[in-house]
Amino acid sequence: MEKKPDFKELTRRERQIMEIVYRLGRAMATDVMEHMSGRPANATVRTLLSVLEEKGYLTHATEKGKYIYSPTVPLTSARRSALDNVLETFFSGAEAAAAISILKKADAKLTEAERKLILEIIEESRKRGR
Amino acid sequence: MEKKPDFKELTRRERQIMEIVYRLGRAMATDVMEHMSGRPANATVRTLLSVLEEKGYLTHATEKGKYIYSPTVPLTSARRSALDNVLETFFSGAEAAAAISILKKADAKLTEAERKLILEIIEESRKRGR
DNA sequence: GGCGAAGTGTTAAATATTTAACATGTGCAC
DNA sequence: GTGCACATGTTAAATATTTAACACTTCGCC
């Protein structure tokens, strides 16, 4: 596959579908259809899934005659790109605010290992920073 | 203005423009044009800016005969929505990983106040969490 | 004031996207 | 094997988006 998927080039519906598939991890047309605004028909969604596969964003496995689509860009990579884009677009110079905002929501769910890691980063920041 | 701007409903070019305007804070057609992929003509960009204004996403002030566009959704609100969407789409169950990732990149730029705040959140997490 | 660069206003066509009907296929329960 | 629910395959039209040419205006400099 030569295409380098670029989420900025996705059309409205394509982008909506990509987000749904990432959320679900893998999905059939009916799954995607149920999550879409504007209630497009099943055939509509299938056409769009097919286009996305041609463009290299999705791939499908056939299970019992059914098409199960999944993203071609691995989650770790997609996470990186998506997060970078949001930071660059909305949080330029305020990246820490984004992190803090997330931590405030996630604090009850932090593991000990995560807390330890964050403390290490803070310590490192003290050594280097201001 | 009755419309509630919903970024998921933006077309490909509209979304690209919105991100550029948020990055720049405020922008004229030529500014936006310079940042766009595919090198659309000035008249193209102006049409799209005008559409976005009609849809309620942008507003413009006239300065010396020039249209300076800015977003209608305040940055704080846009930040919230964008970040939530990325977390929900790509980081479900792994929100802490997003925060950690950001902190790793931003650690040299953390202020003392930010470090203090993060430490407080970690402490709070210890009390409540696992 | 004149001029030119750079801006807006207007219009509509080219192009892309979205839509979905209908024919056909698959798998499973009976 | 049969029937049915639910899936895919195919085709093309409706709709939306993107594109930009050209006329006109604004502003700053000389």
Side-chain angles (χ1 to χ4, degrees):
Chain A
M1 180 186 53
E2 303 214 16
K3 300 185 224 265
K4 163 75 177 177
D6 180 1
F7 280 54
K8 285 187 198 284
E9 296 301 322
L10 293 175
T11 67
R12 179 175 75 96
R13 284 299 197 193
E14 286 170 357
R15 192 181 185 101
Q16 286 171 2
I17 287 174
M18 287 309 300
E19 292 194 357
I20 290 166
V21 174
Y22 270 109
R23 280 173 208 218
L24 299 177
R26 59 204 301 273
M28 291 180 8
T30 46
D31 301 323
V32 173
M33 183 179 77
E34 285 161 10
H35 285 80
M36 286 187 86
S37 63
R39 309 172 67 82
N42 183 284
T44 301
V45 176
R46 283 185 291 108
T47 301
L48 293 167
L49 285 167
S50 175
V51 166
L52 282 166
E53 183 160 19
E54 275 165 32
K55 289 185 178 182
Y57 291 91
L58 293 178
T59 187
H60 83 263
T62 309
E63 298 178 10
K64 300 184 180 182
K66 302 179 186 186
Y67 284 17
I68 313 296
Y69 289 91
S70 51
T72 55
V73 176
L75 187 58
T76 49
S77 188
R79 277 176 171 171
R80 177 85 265 148
S81 303
L83 193 54
D84 281 353
N85 189 59
V86 166
L87 291 179
E88 210 176 303
T89 302
F90 298 104
F91 287 91
S92 183
E95 289 89 353
I100 288 166
S101 169
I102 298 169
L103 288 176
K104 278 184 177 170
K105 289 180 70 173
D107 73 343
K109 287 169 289 188
L110 289 180
T111 63
E112 184 55 42
E114 283 164 342
R115 285 193 289 261
K116 188 168 189 291
L117 183 49
I118 292 168
L119 290 176
E120 282 168 11
I121 295 169
I122 299 298
E123 195 51 45
E124 196 61 32
S125 169
R126 271 212 176 107
K127 288 179 189 168
R128 311 184 189 196
R130 1 172 211 173
Chain B
M1 177 186 56
E2 304 215 16
K3 303 184 221 269
K4 162 74 175 176
D6 179 3
F7 280 55
K8 284 187 199 285
E9 296 302 323
L10 292 176
T11 68
R12 181 175 73 95
R13 284 299 199 192
E14 287 170 355
R15 192 182 186 102
Q16 286 171 1
I17 287 174
M18 286 309 301
E19 292 194 355
I20 289 165
V21 175
Y22 271 111
R23 278 171 210 219
L24 299 178
R26 59 203 300 275
M28 288 177 13
T30 47
D31 301 324
V32 172
M33 183 181 76
E34 285 160 10
H35 285 80
M36 285 185 87
S37 63
R39 309 173 66 83
N42 183 284
T44 300
V45 175
R46 282 187 290 110
T47 301
L48 292 166
L49 286 166
S50 175
V51 167
L52 282 165
E53 181 159 22
E54 275 164 36
K55 286 184 175 181
Y57 292 92
L58 294 177
T59 187
H60 83 263
T62 309
E63 296 178 13
K64 300 184 178 181
K66 303 179 187 186
Y67 284 19
I68 312 295
Y69 289 91
S70 51
T72 54
V73 177
L75 187 59
T76 49
S77 187
R79 277 176 170 170
R80 177 84 268 145
S81 302
L83 193 55
D84 281 353
N85 188 58
V86 166
L87 292 178
E88 208 176 304
T89 302
F90 298 103
F91 288 90
S92 184
E95 289 88 354
I100 288 167
S101 169
I102 297 169
L103 288 177
K104 277 184 181 173
K105 289 180 68 172
D107 73 344
K109 287 169 288 188
L110 290 179
T111 64
E112 184 56 40
E114 285 165 342
R115 286 194 287 260
K116 187 168 190 292
L117 185 49
I118 291 167
L119 290 177
E120 283 167 12
I121 294 169
I122 299 299
E123 196 52 43
E124 194 63 32
S125 170
R126 273 213 174 102
K127 288 181 190 166
R128 310 186 190 191
R130 352 174 220 173

